[in-house]
Amino acid sequence: MSLTAGVVAVQGDVSEHAAAIERAARAHGEEPDVREIRTAGIVPECDVLLMPGGESTAISRLLDREGIAPEIVAHVEAGKPMLATCAGLIVASTDPQDDRVDELGVLDVTVERNAFGRQKDSFEAPLDVTGLDEPFPAVFIRAPVVSDVGPDVEVLATWEEYPVAVRQGPVVGTSFHPELTGDSRIHDLAFFEATPQTA
Amino acid sequence: MAETTDLADLQRGTELVKRGFAKMQKGGVIMDVVDPQQAKIAEDVGAVAVMALEAVPADIRKRGGVARMADPADVAEIIDSVSIPVMGKSRIGHTKEAQILEAIGVDMVDESEVLTPADDRYHIDKRDFTAPFVCGARNLGEALRRIDEGAAMIRTKGEAGTGDVNQAVHHQRNIKSAIRKLEGMTHEERESWARENDAPADLVHDTAERGRLPVVNFAAGGIATPADAALMMHHGCDGIFVGSGMRGTPPRLRRSAGTASTAITATAPTSSAILAW
């Protein structure tokens, strides 16, 4: 089977996301066809989408300017899967609490940016995630947290009581960066129903 | 649902966290600013981070004398004015300036040749820091020595403050062509290359296997126009530092952001760089 995966590529850790979805797809016997999305017209061809980490202001503005934003909304409304990490989570949310971010509003959460502080407060730690048997190596980089969730949002993981991984329908959002580790289990949760038992 | 994760397992300042920060800047433009007003404009126009300085490199060159770290109070003011990351420059080998910048809360320290070197022999041991570092390089051996010292990002040195992109192109071509040569070499040839170029052998092998630097590689030094930025991306840079090469006052730049940029967006693999002009 072939899986067309679109990585939103206007800014951020795009190549890491591309490598991570290729790895995850192959592990599930799917032949990945990874597209980098910088212009309108590519999203409709994609089975799944990935929204990278980066700077949420720059990403949201470029999505808007290039006409990609409405295509992403349509992708999610059609029930197709999407994984959004860090800045991606901020842009995907319904409330980024920042006027400079043009949110997509596909994930019914309120997000608090830079919730842990500056880069010197960034960290990695093992994180318990619902549906995973072993903790996930979570990397938080100037990370946001979810401060409020809508009624249809399932919280998959928390850090110091704040949700840091959430799911609503076809969308999974994380405060941390699963694409920076070699561990594909968050991608499995987001895109493939059968979750492997180990990393 | 999950039990409480053990906070004792939390680690800050690891290589993964430091290099990860640099990766989040990819495809973006990082702008030199000297005060909170400029920092806010940079944030508004789409810069992914700002470099907090006392003076832009063109003015530093004109002024002459000793160029040092900016006044910590001024850097702190810039940090408080924006939500995007703020970087600061320390002199080469000046461990204390770097520690001060880290303590103020800069998100990345640039150990920069634009300032007057404090140590003519040694760079800062960057592995001791929680904050990630960016360092300049003119060739691959130099880049790998900086990475060995703990740099999480490499940038071309270029010729800061001139508005002339030639040296940045030269440095980027040096790095890329050396990597291409390494890729075609046998193990012992790479070992020999490492000795000849004063580069750590493990990093030489790592780079050859990846076919690129093991950290993010930005362009800096003389990038003056959106087309210059696009040229550096064409040469394989991951993103752009822009300083005084970007001419005129920030409000004027904001006005020019539209027209020239649209055409370039199509050719450059970074459109955020273009947004910022």
Side-chain angles (χ1 to χ4, degrees), chain B residues 189-219:
Chain B
E189 285 167 346
R190 290 173 185 170
E191 293 275 320
S192 167
W193 190 96
R195 284 190 296 274
E196 284 162 17
N197 291 276
D198 291 325
D202 55 339
L203 284 173
V204 169
H205 292 299
D206 187 18
T207 302
E209 277 152 31
R210 291 170 192 262
R212 60 155 294 139
L213 285 178
V215 301
V216 167
N217 176 196
F218 266 52

Side-chain angles (χ1 to χ4, degrees), chain B residues 136-159:
Chain B
R138 286 163 297 201
N139 55 54
L140 183 59
E142 193 176 8
L144 296 182
R145 288 195 291 282
R146 299 294 87 80
I147 295 168
D148 189 48
E149 293 157 1
M153 181 195 274
I154 292 296
R155 55 171 175 73
T156 58
K157 282 190 170 171
E159 200 63 64

Side-chain angles (χ1 to χ4, degrees), chain A residues 11 15 61 118 124 126 142, chain B residues 5 14 26 44 83 105 107:
Chain A
Q11 194 269 318
S15 59
R61 254 186 225 180
R118 308 195 65 81
E124 55 176 298
R142 286 174 48 99
Chain B
T5 303
T14 61
K26 288 197 298 179
D44 280 346
S83 71
D107 296 291

